[in-house]
Amino acid sequence: NLDISPALRAKVNAQERIFVFAKAGMPMPLAAERLQVKDLPVTIVLDDSKAAMPTAKISSAEFVDITARVALSGSPRATKGDFYVTAKQVPVHKGKELTLVIDQIVE
């Protein structure tokens, strides 16, 4: 489940892009999804169908770091002032539901 804190929601418009991705020690994400602020709150499933590259799948990892970022610049790369949340070392094969609330600012 993904949402944004009320304080930060008040600072963005509904069309701002949100990038959600799972990484496991390499620069390219193993799974990614793109949303807009207006889509929140939302439940997302990051699985092999969301693979950024067909040769790198989330199912091949034991743990991933999951980040959701409101990209004020519109770019997938983090820039100063973007809003984000990261969950570290999330087990991939447990099928556990995770709740993330975007509540931090890229410095």
Side-chain angles (χ1 to χ4, degrees):
N1 294 321
L2 177 64
D3 205 351
I4 187 169
S5 74
L8 294 184
R9 184 182 289 273
K11 296 180 179 187
V12 296
N13 72 52
Q15 281 70 44
E16 298 287 0
R17 286 189 187 155
I18 299 174
F19 294 96
V20 183
F21 51 89
K23 289 185 173 183
M26 54 209 251
M28 182 61 94
L30 296 175
E33 184 151 342
R34 189 168 70 185
L35 311 162
Q36 290 181 305
V37 170
K38 68 181 179 182
D39 299 326
L40 300 177
V42 67
T43 299
I44 299 170
V45 176
L46 293 176
D47 58 19
D48 287 347
S49 72
K50 309 275 175 66
M53 293 180 3
T55 56
K57 298 184 187 265
I58 194 168
S59 63
S60 67
E62 190 173 347
F63 295 94
V64 293
D65 294 344
I66 299 175
T67 299
R69 185 175 58 255
V70 178
L72 300 176
S73 69
S75 167
R77 289 194 180 272
T79 57
K80 187 175 180 173
D82 285 352
F83 305 135
Y84 75 101
V85 62
T86 297
K88 300 268 189 192
Q89 294 295 294
V90 177
V92 171
H93 300 286
K94 295 277 194 260
K96 187 176 133 190
E97 192 169 290
L98 184 65
T99 298
L100 297 176
V101 177
I102 298 169
D103 62 356
Q104 299 170 63
I105 300 172
V106 175
E107 298 292 329

XYZ file of all heavy atoms in Angstrom:
809
model
N 0.849 -1.179 0.000
C 0.000 0.000 0.000
C 0.890 1.235 0.000
O 1.873 1.281 0.715
C -0.899 0.015 1.234
C -1.900 -1.125 1.213
O -2.437 -1.453 0.165
N -2.132 -1.730 2.350
N 0.519 2.226 -0.780
C 1.315 3.444 -0.902
C 0.423 4.659 -0.746
O -0.669 4.719 -1.316
C 1.999 3.489 -2.275
C 2.818 4.741 -2.578
C 4.011 4.868 -1.628
C 3.288 4.719 -4.023
N 0.893 5.633 0.035
C 0.193 6.901 0.203
C 1.238 7.992 0.425
O 2.430 7.727 0.461
C -0.787 6.830 1.380
C -1.947 7.817 1.248
O -1.926 8.684 0.336
O -2.885 7.724 2.055
N 0.765 9.211 0.563
C 1.632 10.368 0.827
C 1.113 11.068 2.069
O -0.103 11.092 2.305
C 1.687 11.320 -0.393
C 2.725 12.425 -0.191
C 0.321 11.877 -0.719
C 3.027 13.233 -1.453
N 2.002 11.600 2.879
C 1.579 12.272 4.104
C 0.719 13.487 3.750
O 0.930 14.125 2.709
C 2.790 12.705 4.929
O 3.418 13.825 4.325
N -0.263 13.816 4.587
C -1.114 14.977 4.307
C -0.318 16.277 4.138
O -0.653 17.099 3.284
C -2.036 15.046 5.531
C -2.073 13.645 6.068
C -0.699 13.084 5.776
N 0.753 16.446 4.919
C 1.555 17.674 4.820
C 2.208 17.804 3.453
O 2.253 18.888 2.873
C 2.614 17.704 5.914
N 2.720 16.707 2.906
C 3.369 16.758 1.596
C 2.344 16.771 0.464
O 2.578 17.389 -0.572
C 4.344 15.594 1.419
C 5.557 15.620 2.343
C 6.494 14.479 2.027
C 6.290 16.947 2.273
N 1.192 16.122 0.653
C 0.147 16.137 -0.372
C -0.272 17.579 -0.669
O -0.546 17.935 -1.814
C -1.069 15.321 0.063
C -2.140 15.245 -1.029
C -3.368 14.484 -0.569
N -3.154 13.061 -0.434
C -3.283 12.189 -1.421
N -3.604 12.604 -2.633
N -3.094 10.908 -1.204
N -0.289 18.414 0.355
C -0.691 19.812 0.194
C 0.323 20.607 -0.640
O 0.000 21.684 -1.135
C -0.864 20.462 1.567
N 1.541 20.063 -0.822
C 2.601 20.782 -1.541
C 2.763 20.343 -2.993
O 3.630 20.852 -3.690
C 3.940 20.580 -0.823
C 3.954 21.176 0.565
C 5.291 20.951 1.226
C 5.286 21.589 2.611
N 6.590 21.537 3.231
N 1.968 19.376 -3.447
C 2.107 18.860 -4.819
C 0.762 18.888 -5.527
O -0.284 18.890 -4.884
C 2.673 17.416 -4.835
C 4.071 17.368 -4.272
C 1.765 16.451 -4.111
N 0.815 18.894 -6.859
C -0.450 18.804 -7.584
C -0.732 17.351 -7.946
O 0.154 16.502 -7.914
C -0.477 19.741 -8.804
C 0.399 19.280 -9.938
O 0.312 18.139 -10.385
N 1.253 20.164 -10.436
N -1.957 17.063 -8.305
C -2.421 15.696 -8.541
C -1.722 15.021 -9.716
O -1.677 13.803 -9.797
C -3.934 15.690 -8.748
N -1.156 15.809 -10.650
C -0.520 15.239 -11.832
C 0.961 14.914 -11.647
O 1.580 14.352 -12.548
C -0.663 16.182 -13.037
C -2.039 16.119 -13.695
C -3.132 16.718 -12.837
O -2.960 17.779 -12.252
N -4.251 16.032 -12.729
N 1.553 15.269 -10.513
C 2.979 14.977 -10.298
C 3.227 13.482 -10.435
O 2.430 12.660 -9.995
C 3.443 15.436 -8.917
C 3.342 16.916 -8.675
C 4.361 17.764 -9.408
O 5.202 17.231 -10.156
O 4.310 18.986 -9.234
N 4.354 13.126 -11.059
C 4.711 11.715 -11.269
C 5.280 11.094 -10.011
O 6.028 11.728 -9.272
C 5.754 11.598 -12.372
C 5.192 11.816 -13.728
C 6.229 11.455 -14.754
N 5.724 11.838 -16.067
C 6.480 12.109 -17.089
N 7.787 12.033 -16.978
N 5.963 12.444 -18.240
N 4.939 9.824 -9.827
C 5.515 9.019 -8.753
C 6.178 7.810 -9.396
O 5.563 7.122 -10.212
C 4.448 8.536 -7.759
C 3.760 9.734 -7.105
C 5.075 7.624 -6.695
C 2.587 9.347 -6.226
N 7.432 7.579 -9.033
C 8.152 6.400 -9.484
C 8.296 5.464 -8.290
O 8.748 5.891 -7.223
C 9.531 6.773 -10.037
C 9.459 7.588 -11.288
C 9.533 8.971 -11.243
C 9.302 6.970 -12.523
C 9.459 9.732 -12.405
C 9.227 7.723 -13.686
C 9.297 9.108 -13.630
N 7.914 4.220 -8.468
C 8.055 3.200 -7.436
C 8.956 2.123 -8.021
O 8.722 1.654 -9.136
C 6.695 2.579 -7.054
C 6.862 1.573 -5.927
C 5.691 3.657 -6.670
N 10.017 1.755 -7.283
C 10.929 0.761 -7.834
C 11.572 -0.072 -6.737
O 11.678 0.370 -5.593
C 11.999 1.410 -8.715
C 12.708 2.554 -8.074
C 13.849 2.338 -7.326
C 12.233 3.847 -8.214
C 14.515 3.406 -6.725
C 12.891 4.921 -7.618
C 14.036 4.690 -6.873
N 11.961 -1.285 -7.126
C 12.659 -2.212 -6.234
C 14.047 -2.449 -6.798
O 14.203 -2.733 -7.983
C 11.897 -3.525 -6.144
N 15.062 -2.315 -5.938
C 16.450 -2.535 -6.338
C 17.103 -3.542 -5.405
O 16.733 -3.637 -4.240
C 17.252 -1.231 -6.283
C 16.908 -0.240 -7.360
C 17.844 0.947 -7.282
C 17.655 1.887 -8.446
N 18.612 2.995 -8.413
N 18.107 -4.234 -5.943
C 18.870 -5.191 -5.134
C 20.353 -5.050 -5.456
O 20.940 -5.881 -6.121
C 18.402 -6.606 -5.389
N 20.956 -3.943 -5.042
C 22.401 -3.764 -5.152
C 22.923 -3.362 -6.517
O 24.113 -3.257 -6.702
N 22.063 -3.144 -7.495
C 22.522 -2.685 -8.797
C 21.746 -1.436 -9.186
O 20.673 -1.184 -8.662
C 22.372 -3.777 -9.858
C 20.992 -4.349 -9.974
S 21.063 -6.031 -10.534
C 20.490 -6.036 -12.127
N 22.312 -0.627 -10.093
C 21.658 0.637 -10.421
C 20.284 0.472 -11.091
O 19.384 1.247 -10.845
C 22.625 1.334 -11.372
C 23.853 0.508 -11.433
C 23.596 -0.786 -10.746
N 20.133 -0.558 -11.922
C 18.873 -0.757 -12.633
C 17.855 -1.430 -11.709
O 18.164 -2.425 -11.058
C 19.111 -1.621 -13.876
C 17.867 -1.836 -14.698
S 17.147 -0.316 -15.325
C 17.901 -0.241 -16.922
N 16.630 -0.905 -11.638
C 15.617 -1.549 -10.795
C 15.225 -2.931 -11.327
O 15.260 -3.175 -12.531
C 14.422 -0.602 -10.865
C 14.784 0.514 -11.748
C 16.153 0.298 -12.292
N 14.837 -3.801 -10.408
C 14.339 -5.122 -10.780
C 12.858 -5.078 -11.136
O 12.367 -5.921 -11.867
C 14.556 -6.113 -9.635
C 16.005 -6.384 -9.277
C 16.075 -7.295 -8.058
C 16.738 -7.010 -10.453
N 12.161 -4.089 -10.588
C 10.742 -3.890 -10.897
C 10.440 -2.415 -10.697
O 11.018 -1.771 -9.824
C 9.857 -4.746 -10.005
N 9.543 -1.884 -11.526
C 9.219 -0.460 -11.429
C 7.791 -0.210 -11.881
O 7.233 -0.959 -12.689
C 10.187 0.351 -12.290
N 7.218 0.854 -11.345
C 5.887 1.289 -11.753
C 5.841 2.807 -11.680
O 6.488 3.424 -10.835
C 4.814 0.679 -10.846
C 3.433 1.032 -11.295
C 2.397 -0.023 -10.930
O 2.762 -1.163 -10.627
O 1.223 0.328 -10.966
N 5.057 3.408 -12.588
C 4.909 4.866 -12.598
C 3.446 5.196 -12.349
O 2.549 4.615 -12.958
C 5.368 5.414 -13.939
C 5.461 6.923 -13.951
C 6.166 7.418 -15.155
N 5.341 7.218 -16.329
C 5.724 7.461 -17.568
N 6.944 7.891 -17.794
N 4.925 7.273 -18.579
N 3.231 6.158 -11.439
C 1.887 6.585 -11.052
C 1.833 8.098 -11.029
O 2.818 8.768 -11.349
C 1.555 6.070 -9.640
C 1.797 4.612 -9.331
C 1.843 4.404 -7.837
C 0.696 3.789 -9.948
N 0.693 8.634 -10.586
C 0.566 10.060 -10.319
C 0.015 10.219 -8.904
O -0.614 9.300 -8.360
C -0.375 10.717 -11.325
C 0.205 10.782 -12.725
C -0.744 11.466 -13.698
O -1.888 11.061 -13.832
N -0.263 12.495 -14.356
N 0.222 11.400 -8.327
C -0.250 11.668 -6.967
C -1.751 11.402 -6.863
O -2.226 10.869 -5.858
C 0.105 13.115 -6.536
C -0.586 13.479 -5.234
C 1.618 13.267 -6.402
N -2.504 11.711 -7.916
C -3.963 11.509 -7.873
C -4.350 10.043 -7.706
O -5.473 9.743 -7.324
C -4.616 12.088 -9.123
C -4.281 11.350 -10.401
C -4.939 11.970 -11.608
C -4.544 11.215 -12.869
N -5.118 11.805 -14.057
N -3.411 9.107 -7.989
C -3.685 7.675 -7.848
C -3.640 7.206 -6.392
O -4.054 6.083 -6.101
C -2.672 6.852 -8.650
C -2.729 7.154 -10.140
O -3.825 7.432 -10.660
O -1.662 7.114 -10.782
N -3.106 8.025 -5.497
C -2.925 7.629 -4.103
C -4.197 7.823 -3.288
O -4.940 8.749 -3.542
C -1.789 8.445 -3.473
C -0.427 8.296 -4.142
C 0.574 9.204 -3.471
C 0.061 6.876 -4.138
N -4.442 6.990 -2.280
C -3.677 5.795 -1.920
C -3.932 4.669 -2.926
O -4.983 4.613 -3.553
C -4.221 5.442 -0.537
C -5.609 5.986 -0.519
C -5.588 7.209 -1.405
N -2.940 3.770 -3.027
C -3.026 2.692 -4.009
C -2.295 1.457 -3.485
O -1.364 1.572 -2.689
C -2.439 3.144 -5.372
C -0.948 3.377 -5.262
C -2.755 2.174 -6.488
N -2.735 0.293 -3.937
C -2.032 -0.954 -3.654
C -1.289 -1.345 -4.923
O -1.880 -1.380 -6.000
C -3.015 -2.058 -3.239
O -3.681 -1.647 -2.045
C -2.285 -3.369 -2.990
N -0.006 -1.609 -4.794
C 0.856 -1.953 -5.929
C 1.447 -3.338 -5.674
O 1.815 -3.655 -4.541
C 2.016 -0.943 -6.057
C 1.492 0.446 -6.308
C 2.976 -1.357 -7.148
C 2.575 1.492 -6.201
N 1.577 -4.112 -6.729
C 2.290 -5.387 -6.655
C 3.492 -5.277 -7.577
O 3.344 -5.081 -8.782
C 1.389 -6.563 -7.081
C 2.192 -7.860 -7.083
C 0.183 -6.682 -6.175
N 4.689 -5.346 -6.989
C 5.916 -5.343 -7.787
C 6.330 -6.791 -7.991
O 6.762 -7.459 -7.053
C 7.023 -4.554 -7.089
C 6.797 -3.050 -6.958
C 7.931 -2.414 -6.158
C 6.667 -2.398 -8.309
N 6.170 -7.279 -9.216
C 6.529 -8.658 -9.527
C 7.270 -8.687 -10.864
O 7.596 -7.642 -11.429
C 5.299 -9.566 -9.526
C 4.234 -9.127 -10.518
O 4.541 -8.357 -11.460
O 3.077 -9.556 -10.374
N 7.519 -9.895 -11.375
C 8.287 -10.030 -12.615
C 7.612 -9.353 -13.808
O 8.282 -8.974 -14.764
C 8.547 -11.496 -12.929
C 9.589 -12.116 -11.998
O 10.282 -11.355 -11.287
O 9.704 -13.349 -11.986
N 6.299 -9.175 -13.754
C 5.612 -8.500 -14.859
C 5.978 -7.021 -14.936
O 5.749 -6.374 -15.950
C 4.094 -8.659 -14.736
O 3.591 -7.861 -13.676
N 6.567 -6.479 -13.869
C 6.973 -5.060 -13.827
C 8.480 -4.909 -14.003
O 9.056 -3.883 -13.665
C 6.559 -4.439 -12.487
C 5.108 -4.654 -12.105
C 4.204 -3.632 -12.715
C 2.743 -3.889 -12.438
N 2.277 -3.786 -11.105
N 9.136 -5.935 -14.517
C 10.595 -5.919 -14.673
C 11.032 -4.788 -15.592
O 10.431 -4.552 -16.639
C 11.090 -7.252 -15.225
N 12.091 -4.091 -15.206
C 12.656 -3.018 -16.031
C 13.441 -3.615 -17.200
O 13.495 -3.029 -18.276
C 13.542 -2.115 -15.184
N 14.041 -4.772 -16.975
C 14.782 -5.500 -18.022
C 14.393 -6.972 -17.915
O 14.347 -7.505 -16.809
C 16.291 -5.362 -17.817
C 16.811 -3.977 -18.022
S 18.614 -3.792 -17.787
C 19.230 -5.403 -17.450
N 14.140 -7.632 -19.039
C 13.697 -9.031 -18.978
C 14.706 -9.982 -18.335
O 14.327 -11.023 -17.821
C 13.466 -9.410 -20.441
C 13.806 -8.235 -21.268
C 14.218 -7.109 -20.385
N 15.984 -9.612 -18.329
C 17.007 -10.487 -17.757
C 17.182 -10.295 -16.256
O 17.842 -11.098 -15.609
C 18.360 -10.245 -18.443
O 18.681 -8.856 -18.326
C 18.308 -10.637 -19.902
N 16.626 -9.225 -15.697
C 16.745 -8.949 -14.260
C 15.343 -8.902 -13.659
O 14.605 -7.947 -13.873
C 17.476 -7.629 -14.037
N 15.003 -9.952 -12.939
C 13.653 -10.063 -12.379
C 13.696 -10.021 -10.859
O 14.632 -10.516 -10.241
C 12.997 -11.353 -12.850
C 12.826 -11.393 -14.359
C 12.090 -12.646 -14.765
C 12.070 -12.789 -16.257
N 10.981 -12.318 -16.952
N 12.654 -9.465 -10.283
C 12.574 -9.344 -8.829
C 12.548 -10.721 -8.166
O 13.051 -10.887 -7.061
C 11.370 -8.468 -8.416
C 11.494 -8.064 -6.947
C 10.059 -9.144 -8.736
C 10.518 -6.982 -6.524
N 12.003 -11.723 -8.844
C 11.936 -13.071 -8.265
C 13.318 -13.694 -8.061
O 13.460 -14.646 -7.295
C 11.080 -13.990 -9.139
O 11.657 -14.139 -10.420
N 14.346 -13.133 -8.709
C 15.704 -13.659 -8.548
C 16.400 -13.114 -7.295
O 17.476 -13.572 -6.945
C 16.549 -13.321 -9.781
O 16.761 -11.919 -9.861
N 15.791 -12.155 -6.631
C 16.400 -11.543 -5.442
C 15.771 -12.100 -4.166
O 14.595 -12.471 -4.150
C 16.216 -10.029 -5.484
N 16.567 -12.122 -3.112
C 16.037 -12.540 -1.813
C 15.458 -11.339 -1.067
O 14.396 -11.430 -0.460
C 17.146 -13.189 -0.983
C 16.636 -13.859 0.253
C 17.724 -14.639 0.982
O 18.802 -14.874 0.418
O 17.466 -15.013 2.136
N 16.169 -10.201 -1.131
C 15.733 -8.964 -0.494
C 15.866 -7.811 -1.488
O 16.769 -7.826 -2.328
C 16.599 -8.631 0.732
C 16.478 -9.631 1.838
C 17.370 -10.681 1.941
C 15.471 -9.515 2.769
C 17.274 -11.619 2.962
C 15.360 -10.440 3.802
C 16.255 -11.493 3.901
N 15.009 -6.811 -1.376
C 15.103 -5.614 -2.210
C 14.861 -4.382 -1.342
O 14.269 -4.470 -0.274
C 14.074 -5.622 -3.374
C 14.390 -6.713 -4.374
C 12.649 -5.740 -2.871
N 15.344 -3.256 -1.837
C 15.007 -1.960 -1.253
C 13.929 -1.363 -2.155
O 14.101 -1.302 -3.373
C 16.216 -1.030 -1.226
C 17.318 -1.532 -0.294
O 17.038 -2.405 0.547
O 18.452 -1.049 -0.428
N 12.822 -0.945 -1.567
C 11.718 -0.379 -2.335
C 11.639 1.114 -2.045
O 11.610 1.524 -0.886
C 10.384 -1.057 -1.988
C 10.466 -2.542 -2.328
C 9.220 -0.378 -2.732
C 9.267 -3.358 -1.920
N 11.627 1.914 -3.103
C 11.530 3.363 -2.978
C 10.336 3.859 -3.783
O 10.106 3.394 -4.893
C 12.807 4.056 -3.504
O 13.922 3.621 -2.719
C 12.703 5.577 -3.424
N 9.618 4.801 -3.200
C 8.556 5.516 -3.918
C 8.919 6.989 -3.836
O 9.197 7.510 -2.754
C 7.200 5.266 -3.279
N 8.955 7.663 -5.002
C 9.394 9.055 -5.022
C 8.477 9.899 -5.893
O 8.201 9.553 -7.035
C 10.825 9.153 -5.535
C 11.377 10.566 -5.458
C 12.836 10.681 -5.842
N 13.087 10.198 -7.181
C 13.666 9.043 -7.482
N 14.074 8.244 -6.534
N 13.857 8.691 -8.726
N 8.014 11.023 -5.326
C 7.312 12.027 -6.109
C 8.389 12.834 -6.808
O 9.195 13.513 -6.167
C 6.439 12.951 -5.228
C 5.756 14.014 -6.075
C 5.408 12.143 -4.445
N 8.440 12.724 -8.132
C 9.507 13.347 -8.926
C 9.039 14.704 -9.425
O 8.411 14.805 -10.472
C 9.883 12.440 -10.087
N 9.336 15.749 -8.679
C 8.886 17.090 -9.038
C 9.476 17.546 -10.365
O 8.862 18.327 -11.089
C 9.220 18.081 -7.918
C 8.575 17.738 -6.559
C 9.030 18.713 -5.488
C 7.065 17.712 -6.661
N 10.658 17.011 -10.727
C 11.285 17.359 -12.009
C 10.711 16.515 -13.147
O 10.961 16.791 -14.313
C 12.790 17.121 -11.928
O 13.047 15.730 -11.845
N 9.976 15.449 -12.801
C 9.461 14.534 -13.806
C 10.439 13.447 -14.193
O 10.123 12.563 -14.965
N 11.656 13.504 -13.651
C 12.716 12.547 -13.990
C 12.740 11.395 -12.995
O 12.530 11.604 -11.803
C 14.067 13.262 -13.966
O 15.111 12.317 -14.004
N 13.064 10.173 -13.459
C 13.192 9.056 -12.529
C 14.363 9.208 -11.553
O 14.371 8.603 -10.507
C 13.419 7.835 -13.425
C 13.197 8.267 -14.813
C 13.188 9.756 -14.852
N 15.350 10.035 -11.911
C 16.490 10.265 -11.009
C 16.079 11.226 -9.885
O 15.411 12.221 -10.126
C 17.660 10.886 -11.759
C 18.323 9.929 -12.698
C 19.670 10.500 -13.137
N 20.343 9.616 -14.037
C 21.150 8.641 -13.660
N 21.380 8.446 -12.383
N 21.731 7.872 -14.549
N 16.535 10.914 -8.683
C 16.229 11.763 -7.531
C 16.866 13.133 -7.698
O 18.032 13.240 -8.071
C 16.734 11.110 -6.252
N 16.098 14.175 -7.445
C 16.627 15.532 -7.439
C 16.209 16.217 -6.144
O 15.208 15.843 -5.525
C 16.127 16.349 -8.652
O 14.710 16.353 -8.659
C 16.624 15.776 -9.959
N 16.983 17.202 -5.752
C 16.736 17.921 -4.504
C 15.299 18.447 -4.494
O 14.836 19.024 -5.476
C 17.737 19.069 -4.361
C 17.660 19.762 -3.033
C 18.742 20.802 -2.885
C 18.603 21.461 -1.534
N 19.695 22.366 -1.241
N 14.607 18.209 -3.378
C 13.240 18.680 -3.231
C 12.182 17.620 -3.522
O 11.020 17.800 -3.190
N 12.585 16.500 -4.161
C 11.631 15.415 -4.370
C 11.187 14.862 -3.024
O 11.914 14.934 -2.033
C 12.278 14.260 -5.163
C 12.452 14.553 -6.643
O 11.943 15.591 -7.124
O 13.095 13.729 -7.318
N 10.010 14.266 -2.990
C 9.487 13.620 -1.790
C 9.597 12.107 -1.977
O 9.355 11.604 -3.073
C 8.029 14.006 -1.554
C 7.801 15.492 -1.487
C 6.744 16.068 -2.154
C 8.645 16.316 -0.765
C 6.513 17.436 -2.095
C 8.438 17.691 -0.703
C 7.360 18.248 -1.370
N 9.943 11.379 -0.897
C 10.159 9.944 -1.063
C 9.960 9.163 0.237
O 9.838 9.738 1.321
C 11.568 9.673 -1.597
C 12.649 9.838 -0.539
C 13.198 8.729 0.090
C 13.106 11.099 -0.168
C 14.175 8.885 1.067
C 14.076 11.256 0.799
C 14.605 10.142 1.413
O 15.553 10.299 2.382
N 9.963 7.852 0.094
C 10.037 6.915 1.213
C 10.795 5.692 0.693
O 10.686 5.345 -0.484
C 8.642 6.520 1.745
C 7.814 5.798 0.686
C 8.744 5.688 3.019
N 11.600 5.081 1.561
C 12.337 3.863 1.192
C 12.175 2.826 2.298
O 12.290 3.151 3.477
C 13.840 4.153 0.987
O 13.989 5.065 -0.101
C 14.616 2.889 0.672
N 11.917 1.591 1.886
C 11.919 0.452 2.809
C 13.097 -0.422 2.419
O 13.214 -0.839 1.266
C 10.612 -0.327 2.688
N 13.995 -0.666 3.365
C 15.226 -1.425 3.103
C 15.041 -2.907 3.410
O 14.333 -3.262 4.349
C 16.369 -0.886 3.960
C 16.688 0.578 3.704
C 17.745 0.685 2.674
C 18.236 2.121 2.570
N 19.051 2.331 1.423
N 15.732 -3.735 2.620
C 15.820 -5.175 2.866
C 14.446 -5.842 3.053
O 14.209 -6.566 4.017
C 16.715 -5.449 4.074
C 18.169 -5.056 3.830
C 18.802 -5.922 2.745
O 18.977 -7.105 2.924
N 19.132 -5.329 1.608
N 13.555 -5.582 2.107
C 12.226 -6.193 2.127
C 12.343 -7.597 1.529
O 12.848 -7.754 0.414
C 11.231 -5.348 1.294
C 9.869 -6.006 1.244
C 11.144 -3.931 1.843
N 11.903 -8.639 2.260
C 11.990 -9.994 1.714
C 11.048 -10.168 0.526
O 9.873 -9.822 0.604
C 11.590 -10.898 2.884
C 10.984 -10.020 3.905
C 11.354 -8.608 3.605
N 11.571 -10.697 -0.566
C 10.800 -10.818 -1.809
C 9.808 -11.978 -1.750
O 8.673 -11.847 -2.194
C 11.754 -10.998 -3.015
C 10.987 -11.339 -4.278
C 12.585 -9.748 -3.219
N 10.195 -13.095 -1.192
C 9.390 -14.306 -1.321
C 8.438 -14.554 -0.158
O 7.819 -15.606 -0.091
C 10.310 -15.515 -1.531
C 11.139 -15.368 -2.765
N 10.615 -15.514 -4.027
C 12.438 -15.027 -2.943
C 11.560 -15.298 -4.926
N 12.674 -15.002 -4.290
N 8.289 -13.593 0.728
C 7.388 -13.772 1.866
C 5.942 -13.413 1.501
O 5.026 -13.768 2.209
C 7.834 -12.917 3.059
C 9.165 -13.320 3.630
C 9.027 -14.464 4.594
C 10.240 -14.667 5.423
N 11.136 -15.698 5.036
N 5.742 -12.649 0.420
C 4.392 -12.245 0.037
C 3.741 -11.335 1.062
O 2.530 -11.273 1.177
N 4.565 -10.644 1.819
C 4.084 -9.785 2.896
C 3.637 -8.439 2.336
O 4.280 -7.871 1.466
C 5.219 -9.599 3.905
C 4.840 -8.881 5.157
C 6.033 -8.847 6.096
C 6.194 -7.437 6.616
N 7.422 -7.205 7.331
N 2.531 -7.937 2.864
C 2.050 -6.619 2.461
C 2.844 -5.547 3.199
O 3.134 -5.677 4.381
C 0.557 -6.484 2.788
C -0.076 -5.270 2.151
C -1.581 -5.302 2.275
O -2.217 -6.140 1.626
O -2.107 -4.467 3.035
N 3.177 -4.502 2.477
C 4.007 -3.429 3.011
C 3.239 -2.117 2.845
O 2.642 -1.883 1.799
C 5.300 -3.393 2.199
C 6.399 -2.432 2.590
C 6.960 -2.798 3.957
C 7.512 -2.504 1.560
N 3.240 -1.287 3.873
C 2.605 0.025 3.777
C 3.699 1.082 3.788
O 4.509 1.127 4.716
C 1.621 0.255 4.938
O 0.597 -0.728 4.850
C 0.999 1.639 4.863
N 3.723 1.913 2.754
C 4.694 3.001 2.638
C 3.961 4.325 2.561
O 2.983 4.448 1.820
C 5.551 2.832 1.373
C 6.422 1.587 1.297
C 7.112 1.529 -0.056
C 7.456 1.595 2.401
N 4.452 5.308 3.316
C 3.890 6.657 3.269
C 5.022 7.608 2.898
O 6.025 7.709 3.610
C 3.271 7.059 4.637
C 2.764 8.502 4.578
C 2.151 6.107 5.012
N 4.878 8.277 1.760
C 5.878 9.240 1.305
C 5.880 10.413 2.269
O 4.882 11.129 2.396
C 5.559 9.702 -0.134
C 5.607 8.498 -1.083
C 6.528 10.798 -0.568
C 5.046 8.777 -2.473
N 7.013 10.584 2.985
C 7.047 11.609 4.035
C 8.418 12.245 4.233
O 8.653 12.951 5.192
C 6.565 11.014 5.363
C 7.449 9.877 5.868
O 8.402 9.478 5.159
O 7.193 9.390 6.979
N 9.356 11.984 3.294
C 10.704 12.547 3.416
C 11.028 13.397 2.196
O 10.422 13.233 1.151
C 11.728 11.405 3.559
C 11.486 10.554 4.792
C 12.346 9.311 4.776
O 13.557 9.410 4.802
N 11.715 8.150 4.728
N 12.004 14.294 2.347
C 12.400 15.194 1.273
C 13.854 14.944 0.901
O 14.711 14.845 1.783
C 12.209 16.674 1.690
C 10.741 16.930 2.036
C 12.661 17.613 0.577
C 10.483 18.301 2.643
N 14.137 14.810 -0.397
C 15.515 14.641 -0.877
C 16.269 15.934 -0.590
O 15.858 17.010 -1.017
C 15.551 14.299 -2.380
C 16.998 14.248 -2.877
C 14.835 12.997 -2.667
N 17.375 15.818 0.128
C 18.184 16.994 0.477
C 19.228 17.264 -0.582
O 19.771 16.388 -1.160
C 18.865 16.782 1.825
C 17.881 16.613 2.969
C 17.093 17.876 3.283
O 17.619 18.999 3.100
O 15.948 17.749 3.707
